[in-house]
Every structure is written in structure tokens, then in C-alpha cells.
């Protein structure tokens, strides 16, 4: 009974704290609306006011009903609107906010147009790590990354010259961004404003299970071969996960492990593992005599990651490796492949059926589920280092047919920036 009472008290305290935060957000939003009155002659400012009002009405409604969740506060757009208003006050000759432009058949919203139309600005108030993760593809299906927005802004600016000039594009990162991401955005010719943060850079596919590095450092046995499906030597089709493609083209798997010691703990650990257990020979041996496939989602994610954090040679290896891989639509099945499947007894029935599905959450990410399910449908062994997904799927009763190897990050950019020096 005492434990029940404690639980009730804790829940009440949590609810009270959430309500206090909602009240603070509402006060913040009302103050924000008042602060933009001085810009009332600015094109698009009324639209911005309406958006803020809609956000306030939503917060007031959940405050009234008491159905408050932490996500309501964390995902509030008021932070972004506030950043836009603050940026307006710092620019010169602002002529429009929330300006909608057309790019092909899509609408592109330009946050701020200033310098009499010669500068377009996008204001980003997201958490820096979240920005990098989304660029790695770790987001719900359809969520566009800041790199996607960069491409849109540049392309749209070319189609809408002002005073016979292509408008300059500026991205303002209110909370900063990772070094690698800043470099990638600048490669489009965009000026980046905001603190550059080294510790939020992401070096590899975030779906790869990296949460167990600490435990692994305490043990000599980190081999994931026990997770691999036994008796799969006769299966001649391979489905490549993003993590497998990254490992195959990674600089650390192609010679740099013996040349550098890295100051970043995760990279240093992977380099040490690579010296002890080189992964590329293992993958090459497994690939022998087999046909390699990947789905469109895996290819797109792989290219995005390589383009964002890959080095020159890693990009070259990625292009060459993709030429060896047959890319199919995400929803492809074994019938789409011209091969003799008669020997693949393991695939008389696919793992996932309408009455047997996986729940997204935790280590079961949306993108990984698409990739593993693709391998299941085409009757291929999924090659992956995402042991977290494999374990989580097994806990839900799904045993995918897999070959699991050790994870390796893209490291070439770090060999100059963060390597402490030649090993030999």
C-alpha cells in the first residue's frame, strides 16, 4: 500500500511540474506575440502571429483538460518562432518572413528575406545532436534533414533572382551544430551562423548499437558471431544494412587502423578492434559467390552519411562498392529477383506476416525495420553490425536471418582533425 501511495504522490508531483512548464510556455508565447507588434507592416508577420496563436491555443487547451505530456512542451514550436523573431531584429532591410516559394511542385518556406531581397535566411533552433542524427537518417519516415533543406534553398534561390542576382542563403543555428554538418552545408555555398560543436558530430549510422562500448571494453569477447544465424552457407543472396556498407568502405577497415591512434574514445576502440580482428577480410570471405542487394532506403541513407562525414577516399570506395550492389525498391519480394530459390529452405515463409509484426521503439528504429524486412522478403541474409536491433527483434519473437559483424565508423575526416599521430 505504501508503494502505491508513493507512486500516486510522484505522479501528482510530475503532473504539477508539467503544468507549471505549460503555464510558463503560455506566458512566453503571449510575450512573443506582443514583441512582434513593431513589425506589423512586415510581409508575412500576420501569418507568424497566427502560428504563434495556434500554438498558444493548443497549450491552453491541454492545460485546461489536464492532459499534459512532456512531449507537448519539448516539441513546442514557440522556441523556433522566438528564434525567428530574434533573428529579424538583428538583420537589415528585412522585407518578408515565412515567404512561400515553389520548387517544382513543392512549397518551400523561407523564414526571413532581408537585404532588400538579396539574402534568404533559415533559422534552426533544434538540438545540435538531433540535427546530426536526422542527417544520418535516424528519424521518422518522411522527416527531412537540414541538408535536404539546404539543397532546396539553394535550388529555389537560383529560380528566384532578385535585382539580377541569385539571393545569398544563410542558415542560422541558434543552438549550434556539429563541425561536420557545418562543413557539409557550407559545401552548398551557404553561409553558416552558429557555434560549431565538436562533441555532437556523428561518425556512423546511429542505428548501429554503440551503447555497449563500455561493457565491451571490460571484456575480450566482443565477437557477435553468436548472433549470426547458423547454417546459412547455402544462401546466395545478401541484403546489406547501412552499417555493413559503412564498415566496408571505412578508412579504418582499409589501412588507417595500423597508421593512426585516435583521440576520440569510440574511434580509438574501433581501431584497436580492427587491428585485432580486421573486418573487411571477414566480409569479403562472406561475400564470395553471393549476390549483393540493398533496398532504396539503405542506399539513400548510406549515400547521405558518406556525403556528410566521409573522406575523399571513403567516398570513392562507396561509389565503387555501390556498383557491385543491386538496388531494389523497399517493398521488393523474392519474385522480383531472377534467381533459383529452391535451396533456400529457411525462406519457405517470411518472418513478418500481418499477424506477426515488430513494434517500433527503442532499438527497433523505423529505417532499420524497413531494411531488415526487405531482406526477409527477398530471402536474403542481412549483413549488419546492428546487434541491438537483432537482439530487440528476438525479444519480440522475430529471428531474422543475419550475419553480424563488428561495427566500424567512417574515420577519414578524423585522421587529420583528431588523430594524435602516426602509429608507426
Amino acid at each position: 500500500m505504501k508503494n502505491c501511495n508513493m507512486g500516486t504522490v510522484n505522479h501528482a508531483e510530475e503532473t504539477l511540474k508539467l503544468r507549471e512548464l505549460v503555464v510558463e510556455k503560455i506566458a512566453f508565447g503571449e510575450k512573443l506575440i506582443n514583441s512582434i507588434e513593431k513589425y506589423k507592416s512586415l510581409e508575412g508577420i500576420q501569418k507568424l502571429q497566427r502560428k504563434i496563436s495556434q500554438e498558444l491555443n493548443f497549450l491552453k487547451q491541454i492545460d485546461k483538460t489536464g492532459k499534459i505530456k512532456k512531449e507537448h512542451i519539448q516539441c513546442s514550436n514557440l522556441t523556433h518562432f522566438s528564434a525567428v523573431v530574434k533573428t529579424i531584429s538583428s538583420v537589415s532591410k528585412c522585407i518578408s518572413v515565412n515567404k512561400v516559394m515553389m520548387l517544382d511542385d513543392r512549397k518551400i518556406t523561407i523564414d526571413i528575406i532581408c537585404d532588400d531581397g538579396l539574402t534568404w535566411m533559415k533559422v534552426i533552433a533544434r538540438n545540435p545532436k538531433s540535427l546530426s542524427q536526422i542527417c544520418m537518417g535516424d528519424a521518422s519516415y518522411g522527416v527531412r534533414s537540414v541538408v535536404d533543406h539546404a539543397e532546396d534553398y539553394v535550388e529555389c534561390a537560383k529560380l528566384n533572382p532578385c535585382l539580377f542576382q541569385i539571393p545569398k542563403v544563410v542558415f542560422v543555428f541558434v543552438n549550434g551544430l556539429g563541425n561536420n554538418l557545418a562543413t557539409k552545408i557550407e559545401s552548398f555555398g551557404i553561409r553558416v551562423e552558429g557555434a560549431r560543436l565538436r562533441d555532437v558530430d556523428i561518425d556512423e549510422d546511429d542505428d548501429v548499437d554503440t551503447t555497449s562500448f563500455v561493457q565491451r571494453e571490460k571484456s575480450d569477447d566482443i565477437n557477435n558471431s553468436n548472433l549470426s544465424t547458423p547454417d546459412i552457407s547455402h544462401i546466395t543472396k545478401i541484403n546489406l544494412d547501412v552499417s555493413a556498407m559503412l564498415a566496408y568502405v571505412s578508412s579504418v577497415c582499409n589501412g588507417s587502423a595500423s597508421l593512426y591512434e585516435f583521440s576520440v574514445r569510440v574511434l580509438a576502440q574501433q581501431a584497436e578492434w580492427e587491428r585485432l580482428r580486421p573486418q573487411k577480410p571477414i566480409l569479403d570471405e562472406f561475400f564470395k559467390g553471393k549476390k549483393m542487394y540493398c533496398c532504396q532506403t539503405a542506399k539513400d541513407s548510406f549515400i547521405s552519411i558518406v556525403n556528410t562525414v566521409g573522406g575523399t577516399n571513403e567516398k570513392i570506395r562507396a561509389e565503387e562498392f555501390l556498383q557491385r550492389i543491386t538496388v531494389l525498391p523497399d517493398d521488393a519480394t523474392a519474385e522480383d529477383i531472377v534467381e533459383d530459390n529452391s535451396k533456400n529452405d529457411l525462406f519457405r515463409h517470411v518472418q513478418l506476416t500481418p499477424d506477426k509484426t515488430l513494434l517500433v521503439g527503442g532499438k527497433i528504429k523505423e529505417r532499420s525495420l524497413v531494411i531488415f524486412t526487405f531482406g526477409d522478403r527477398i530471402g536474403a541474409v542481412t549483413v549488419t553490425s546492428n546487434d541491438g536491433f537483432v537482439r530487440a527483434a528476438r525479444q519480440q519473437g522475430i529471428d531474422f536471418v543475419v550475419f553480424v559483424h563488428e561495427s566500424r565508423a567512417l574515420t577519414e575526416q578524423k585522421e587529420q582533425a583528431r588523430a594524435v599521430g602516426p602509429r608507426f
Side-chain angles (χ1 to χ4, degrees), residues 212-213 216-217 219 222 266 268-279 406-408:
S212 55
F213 274 119
R216 289 175 176 177
E217 287 175 342
S219 170
I222 64 167
V266 170
Q269 182 65 79
Q270 288 194 1
E272 180 61 30
W273 291 345
E274 182 63 20
R275 290 190 287 270
L276 295 171
R277 294 173 299 278
Q279 291 300 291
E406 293 178 20
S407 62
R408 297 290 186 265

Side-chain angles (χ1 to χ4, degrees), residues 19 58-68 72:
R19 187 170 188 278
F58 172 73
L59 291 172
K60 289 175 181 178
Q61 183 63 28
I62 62 171
D63 180 43
K64 182 178 179 181
T65 60
K67 297 178 180 179
I68 305 171
H72 293 151

Side-chain angles (χ1 to χ4, degrees), residues 3-14:
N3 289 338
C4 290
N5 290 336
M6 284 295 293
T8 303
V9 171
N10 290 338
H11 178 71
E13 290 178 351
E14 181 68 18

Side-chain angles (χ1 to χ4, degrees), residues 12-244:
E13 290 178 351
E14 181 68 18
T15 302
L16 181 60
K17 288 179 181 178
L18 289 175
R19 187 170 188 278
E20 288 174 351
L21 290 172
V22 168
V23 171
E24 287 179 10
K25 278 284 185 184
I26 292 172
F28 175 76
E30 290 175 340
K31 184 177 179 181
L32 186 60
I33 282 185
N34 294 331
S35 73
I36 61 177
E37 275 297 314
K38 57 186 174 184
Y39 303 115
K40 60 184 178 182
S41 62
L42 190 61
E43 180 190 1
I45 205 69
Q46 291 182 344
K47 185 192 297 182
L48 181 59
Q49 284 179 317
R50 285 197 299 272
K51 288 184 176 182
I52 296 173
S53 295
Q54 289 170 356
E55 195 75 18
L56 281 173
N57 290 336
F58 172 73
L59 291 172
K60 289 175 181 178
Q61 183 63 28
I62 62 171
D63 180 43
K64 182 178 179 181
T65 60
K67 297 178 180 179
I68 305 171
K69 296 180 180 179
K70 191 182 295 183
E71 293 79 8
H72 293 151
I73 301 166
Q74 293 174 334
C75 299
S76 173
N77 289 319
L78 290 178
T79 303
H80 170 72
F81 297 146
S82 174
V84 170
V85 173
K86 185 177 180 180
T87 305
I88 292 172
S89 66
S90 67
V91 302
S92 62
K93 300 178 181 178
C94 184
I95 64 172
S96 182
V97 295
N98 284 299
K99 181 73 172 180
V100 175
M101 301 284 193
M102 295 302 297
L103 180 60
D104 298 326
D105 58 346
R106 293 183 291 119
K107 293 180 179 180
I108 307 298
T109 301
I110 314 302
D111 289 339
I112 298 171
I113 298 180
C114 57
D115 295 334
D116 285 335
L118 294 176
T119 300
W120 289 7
M121 305 186 79
K122 181 168 183 61
V123 181
I124 301 101
R126 272 186 178 273
N127 175 285
K129 185 172 183 180
S130 173
L131 285 171
S132 294
Q133 288 175 327
I134 293 171
C135 287
M136 296 302 119
D138 184 16
S140 300
Y141 180 76
V143 174
R144 294 174 63 76
S145 73
V146 69
V147 174
D148 295 325
H149 290 300
E151 292 175 335
D152 287 347
Y153 261 62
V154 170
E155 191 63 30
C156 198
K158 291 177 182 177
L159 299 175
N160 294 275
C162 175
L163 301 176
F164 308 109
Q165 299 178 52
I166 296 174
K168 300 174 186 174
V169 178
V170 180
F171 275 26
V172 180
F173 292 87
V174 178
N175 298 313
L177 76 164
N179 273 325
N180 290 335
L181 185 52
T183 301
K184 176 61 179 177
I185 293 170
E186 286 176 331
S187 71
F188 292 102
I190 295 173
R191 190 172 86 233
V192 172
E193 295 182 0
R196 303 190 182 214
L197 310 172
R198 175 173 291 183
D199 59 350
V200 300
D201 279 335
I202 292 181
D203 303 303
E204 61 178 317
D205 182 11
D206 195 54
D207 283 353
V208 175
D209 185 17
T210 57
T211 58
S212 55
F213 274 119
V214 175
Q215 291 93 330
R216 289 175 176 177
E217 287 175 342
K218 297 176 181 178
S219 170
D220 292 327
D221 181 19
I222 64 167
N223 197 320
N224 287 321
S225 59
N226 62 313
L227 288 176
S228 298
T229 307
D231 304 323
I232 56 176
S233 59
H234 63 286
I235 301 175
T236 58
K237 290 181 287 185
I238 290 175
N239 168 41
L240 290 165
D241 181 25
V242 179
S243 60

